[in-house]
Amino acid sequence: MLVYRGYSHAAPSPTALTIGNFDGVHQGHRSLLQKLNAAAQDKGLLPAVLTFEPHPREFFATRSAPARLSTLREKLELLSDAGVAAAWVIHFNTRFAALSADDFVERLLVDTLRVKHLVIGDDFRFGAGRRGDFALLCAAGARHAFTVEAMESVLIDGERASSSLVR
């Protein structure tokens, strides 16, 4: 798996992308990655992931952030084992947190990651103030020629599969 730090390195080819923290790469993540890989194979795209270091919760709430389920190295190994071909690790800092949803789409998704298909969880939010959502992504996709697919939450014994549930 190719691993890039930051977003100064453009994707080597168009991507099918998913975005998330992927702490622990639990069952919900694995389902999302299976959907990503199927779309990448079907559309002839590079299966890729955008993730963050540190975890945004650690950045915003240092004292109350939950314990991690995996280190960055372990997370990248699990993503590779799940069939991801490239990962961009973004340093989550004040500058990145201030990036507007529109700039996130333009600079990361379109310019750097060359997204042609985006698979996101049903609760995905992004950009400064978490203003970006599924509707914004769909509108951006129409402008920039990429498709957007949302995946419903995976339930385990009636509860949403999440890192919090694993903890």
Side-chain angles (χ1 to χ4, degrees):
M1 178 173 73
L2 300 170
V3 178
Y4 302 95
R5 293 279 189 156
Y7 51 97
S8 60
H9 294 91
S13 63
T15 64
L17 180 76
T18 191
I19 305 168
N21 294 308
F22 298 101
D23 189 20
V25 190
H26 55 68
Q27 183 57 48
H29 294 142
R30 288 193 298 273
S31 294
L32 185 66
L33 295 169
Q34 287 171 350
K35 192 174 278 286
L36 172 77
N37 288 328
Q41 185 173 10
D42 183 54
K43 298 172 185 288
L45 300 170
L46 180 75
V49 165
L50 175 65
T51 192
F52 310 100
E53 181 64 28
H55 189 300
R57 280 191 187 166
E58 291 175 12
F59 174 79
F60 287 113
T62 306
R63 295 176 196 256
S64 62
R68 289 189 186 207
L69 297 173
S70 57
T71 65
L72 176 61
R73 176 183 219 81
E74 291 166 338
K75 172 170 53 174
L76 292 171
E77 288 172 357
L78 291 166
L79 290 169
S80 179
D81 290 347
V84 173
W88 277 260
V89 180
I90 303 299
H91 182 67
F92 202 96
N93 56 23
T94 303
R95 186 171 146 211
F96 186 78
L99 197 63
S100 73
D102 289 332
D103 283 345
F104 181 96
V105 169
E106 296 280 338
R107 293 169 68 183
L108 273 76
L109 302 187
V110 176
D111 294 344
T112 300
L113 300 172
R114 301 176 60 194
V115 171
K116 293 298 174 194
H117 186 74
L118 182 62
V119 183
I120 57 169
D122 58 4
D123 62 344
F124 180 67
R125 304 290 296 211
F126 65 99
R130 296 176 47 103
R131 289 187 182 92
D133 60 9
F134 183 73
L136 187 145
L137 286 171
C138 289
R143 282 192 314 276
H144 297 288
F146 65 84
T147 54
V148 183
E149 176 181 8
M151 188 182 101
E152 291 185 22
S153 294
V154 172
L155 300 178
I156 299 173
D157 295 330
E159 290 191 63
R160 182 179 177 271
S162 67
S163 299
S164 298
L165 180 62
V166 172
R167 277 187 209 94

